[in-house]
Amino acid sequence: MAVMSYRQALHDTLRAEMLRDPDVFLMGEEIGRFEGSYKITAGMLEEFGPRRVRDTPIAEEGFTGAAVGAAMLGLRPVVEIMTINFSLLALDQIVNHAAKIYGMFGGQRSVPMVIRTPGGGGQQLAATHSQNVELFYAFTPGLKVVAPSSPADAKALMLASIRDDDPVLFLENLALYNTKGEVPDGDEPAEIGRAAVTREGTDITLVAYSRMAHVALQVAEKLASEEGISAEVVDLRSLRPLDRDTVIESVKKTNCAVVLEDDWLTYGIGAEVAASISDGAFDWLDAPVRRVAMAEVPLPYAKSLELAALPSANDVVTAVHQTLDAVGRRSVGAH
Amino acid sequence: MVDILMPRLSDTMEEGVVSAWRKQVGDEVKAGDILVEIETDKAIMEHEAYEAGVLAEIVVPDGGTAPIGAPIARLQTAGDPAVAAPAAEPAAKQSAAAEKPAEPEAAPAPAAAEPAGTPAPADGSNGARVLSSPLARRDAREFGIDLATVEGTGPGGRIIRADVAKARDAAGAQPTTAPAPTAAPAAAPALEETDELIPLTSIRKTIARRLTESMQSSPHFYVTKTVDAGPLMQLRAELNERLVAADKRKVSVNDIVVRAVAVVLRDHPVVNSSFTDDGIVQHGRVNVGIAVATETGLVVPVIRDTDGKSLTRISAETRELAGKARDRKLGLDEMSGGTFTVSNLGMYGIDHFTAVINPPEAAILAVGAVRSEPGVREGEVAVVQRMTMTLSSDHRVIDGAQAAEFVRDLAAVLENPWLAVA
């Protein structure tokens, strides 16, 4: 098992899949000569040549549509859309075509493509370049949406996504590229649609994905060491299909939950998770499910304002305190 | 005679309402005449006759509903015999049909009375809405606690799990006071003055539910055998003599029976099983439960891995668990996970009885008292010590012969009880 960055895990996995399957090819803006805006595709053009590593014009709808066509005809394109903000330009191709072709044409053609795209704020890129619009895709039947939070999951989910016969939106996060972790050797794909309990606990369940799954783990450690609160962390890993069962099982154990997400609160993924909990674990809840999310504003450019708008570890701690106070279960710590 | 069918007037239509008949019974109908107005989920549409004749019968009156393809009327066509006759008959049918709409009108009346009646008791028992968390409600249900008697300490006075736990502890000290208000309204009717109503405790509710479920869902059958308990009593006497000499606590007949059961169960995995919808679960561990009578009701603490424990260990654990059971201090984990149960009424001098299986286990052994009675030993009439035991088995899991084999092998061990100790 090697320790490597999230970025390196993605690069190595993409390269391994290119070597394994000649039908896999890459497309996107600046992924060849410039080696990718985030250097995930570094060295790929040199190794695999321009036929399999294709620089595209700045035309998201066009190249995403081309990938849909290629996938329908049997290739396995991996498209990089520079940021998820730009994927909105390709929304029609993703939501109306990639997602629907299998169902609309009676299963005659599947669309085995991957759309890799990073999201997330905190980089001072202002309102139109800092969004987490994965909800739009998680909302769409026919798409799979995965969101790894660790280098190990980045690898296992990338393997699974490339080999999946359905279109997969593969959500990366700018804040995670340099995070490090152990990555297993070998070539074991994850099961898409299976959440992970990344930390066991008994007092409260924290549900999160992508960057917030990281934050959840940090908060859980802090709560354990400073206050003796035992938080269980469920990393969703996949937003569609959503592993409701794992979340529900955890809440049945802890009897309360806080759902963390990096995007706007209203109508969000946290709302979906909260609804699932109330559906599946109603009789096990001792307190309402709380959600921690971003402020409902276009994300500001000014650093201080941006930080104020993004959900922080402190926000999570506060939500945990409020929840546990409500059921009289915060034994340690002053308040 | 031609049936006029409820037409399909739109793709999404599944049934239609007869809005109004344009022709009456006895009317002459020409092909193309408008017969009836049909109301679909979208619109009211006219439906015309495809054939000429006389409208003989209206099956679905105005306002009536029928699925697509169901006959709504019948048309007497020229080809039919007895064209003249219908006049009288339809009249009768029509009046019958006319009565129909009256029915639905009458029906809602009693229904309307009901909602008016129900709120009253709700107000009477408790006017204010009790705020409580779902978990608290679940706990309250389980422990048989009335939430109206619980004080909420959560936000806005919401009752939370901790409040129910507190109420349960309080109720444990004085079990009769708390549940009374809930029980009274439900059972009021048939009581006479001399009767006393004892509220159901949660343990009594659990016993009632589980044993009813057991008798209803698992088909019981019984295998009985009487064993020569002489060797058993002798072993126990010898053993206890030595244990006392060694300043250790004595073992009981039941301890030896439990140990023997555990040993024999290892060779009879079918008896150490549970029936589930997915299949029969054969338990890898032998966990024998021991039925214990307490003041509040029957509980069954479980001795885990009974087959791997010595007789004295089983004896000590049984004593400890039974003590806890009587003090109501038994934890849930000490009462769960059993794979077989032994119930012994020997201390009450009972010769023989049958027991109800403790679900989800597949069998239970009912053990009677050791009694001295005349019997034949080695061809001579002599006083022999006997003990009768009955295995109740779930026939979904255990067949008759399998139960018989288990009881036979158990008897063999009990009659040669060193095998149980070995």
Side-chain angles (χ1 to χ4, degrees), chain A residues 254-278:
Chain A
T254 63
N255 309 125
C256 44
V258 174
V259 188
L260 326 180
E261 59 191 318
D262 232 347
D263 51 6
W264 297 310
L265 183 84
T266 306
Y267 303 114
I269 285 157
E272 180 61 33
V273 172
S276 299
I277 292 171
S278 99

Side-chain angles (χ1 to χ4, degrees), chain A residues 123-139:
Chain A
Q123 320 290 315
Q124 276 203 280
L125 295 169
T128 62
H129 289 65
S130 306
Q131 302 172 96
N132 292 285
V133 292
E134 57 269 18
L135 169 63
F136 298 170
Y137 305 110
F139 175 65

Side-chain angles (χ1 to χ4, degrees), chain B residues 144-174:
Chain B
I145 289 170
D146 180 8
L147 281 175
T149 65
V150 179
E151 192 195 345
T153 64
R158 187 196 299 139
I159 297 167
I160 55 181
R161 171 175 248 186
D163 300 329
V164 176
K166 212 187 297 166
R168 183 188 46 166
D169 293 346
Q174 291 175 301

Side-chain angles (χ1 to χ4, degrees), chain A residues 253 255 281-288 322 325-329, chain B residues 133-139 141 153-155 158-162:
Chain A
K253 192 165 90 173
N255 309 125
F282 184 74
D283 279 327
W284 281 267
L285 280 176
D286 209 13
Q322 285 170 339
D325 284 346
V327 294
R329 279 167 49 194
Chain B
S133 81
L135 184 65
R137 290 200 285 284
R138 179 189 164 83
D139 285 353
R141 251 195 330 268
T153 64
R158 187 196 299 139
I159 297 167
I160 55 181
R161 171 175 248 186

